[in-house]
Amino acid sequence: MSRSLRTDPYLLRATRRAKAHVPVRVCPPRAGFVHPADPGDIAGILTFFGPAAVYGVRGVELRQQPAAGAGVAVAMLRVPGLVLLFEQPMSPWDLSGQLTDMATARLQRAGARVTPSHTGVRVDWPGSTLRDFMLFDGLMHEIGHHMIQHAAGKHRTRAMRTADHERRADEYAVRARRIWAAQW
């Protein structure tokens, strides 16, 4: 029984089994777009959070935005274990329509300056805030999704309903941001 699956806590299994290096693949961004976080930024944050964060992650890919009509995508988890981070428009962003209060709060939490107008919303990203947004609200959010799926052993189906999945991934990203900020 001592060698049966899941007898060790997740953190112990992760420490023993996680890869030392997660490969990061880069697809060049299109004109007018950037990859705010580079492979060094991604490797640094994954190293900082250690084996529990990378256990089962097969790779991270910096990609171009998905097909038109999907809006501006930040990141996505392709189960099992592939995190996709999408190129972002260069700052400032001029968005049509209005943002929800939750979207506005998320952008402001990441350090963006959100200015609504009668025609839309302008989002300015001072300094390294867009990079940090990608690392925490993109990468670490998707790592949160990955950890939920991986710990539950679910590779084809969701481990929980979507609203709970999103809430827990958001909580993971917020916690990661706090831990990262506390080191400075």
Side-chain angles (χ1 to χ4, degrees):
M1 192 65 160
S2 65
R3 290 181 179 245
S4 64
L5 186 63
R6 302 195 207 312
T7 52
D8 289 340
Y10 187 83
L11 185 56
L12 289 176
R13 275 197 326 270
T15 302
R16 198 173 54 243
R17 297 179 184 171
K19 292 181 185 177
H21 173 71
V22 174
V24 179
R25 218 178 110 220
V26 180
C27 175
R30 296 172 293 159
F33 289 81
V34 296
H35 288 303
D38 64 31
D41 296 327
I42 293 165
I45 199 164
L46 292 177
T47 300
F48 177 80
F49 286 104
V54 299
Y55 178 35
V57 175
R58 295 183 333 200
V60 176
E61 292 185 7
L62 302 177
R63 288 210 179 157
Q64 295 179 357
Q65 283 284 334
V72 177
V74 176
M76 182 174 97
L77 174 66
R78 185 165 289 158
V79 176
L82 180 61
V83 177
L84 308 177
L85 297 177
F86 298 111
E87 66 186 3
Q88 298 301 307
M90 290 183 178
S91 181
W93 297 352
D94 289 312
L95 308 174
S96 60
Q98 298 300 315
L99 295 175
T100 64
D101 291 340
M102 187 172 13
T104 301
R106 178 182 226 162
L107 293 173
Q108 289 173 333
R109 177 182 71 206
R113 288 191 300 254
V114 180
T115 311
S117 70
H118 65 284
T119 59
V121 177
R122 183 179 182 97
V123 181
D124 289 297
W125 295 97
S128 63
T129 55
L130 182 54
R131 183 202 67 188
D132 294 346
F133 176 72
M134 290 303 295
L135 290 174
F136 293 101
D137 293 89
L139 177 66
M140 295 312 287
H141 177 90
E142 298 306 324
I143 292 291
H145 281 303
H146 166 75
M147 289 179 71
I148 293 166
Q149 291 295 120
H150 195 256
K154 303 284 185 175
H155 298 294
R156 301 260 186 251
T157 60
R158 282 203 173 265
M160 59 186 62
R161 67 190 190 120
T162 303
D164 292 334
H165 224 289
E166 287 300 324
R167 181 182 48 78
R168 289 191 47 199
D170 279 341
E171 289 169 358
Y172 183 81
V174 167
R175 209 171 32 248
R177 185 185 293 274
R178 280 192 204 121
I179 291 168
W180 181 262
Q183 77 168 337
W184 310 111

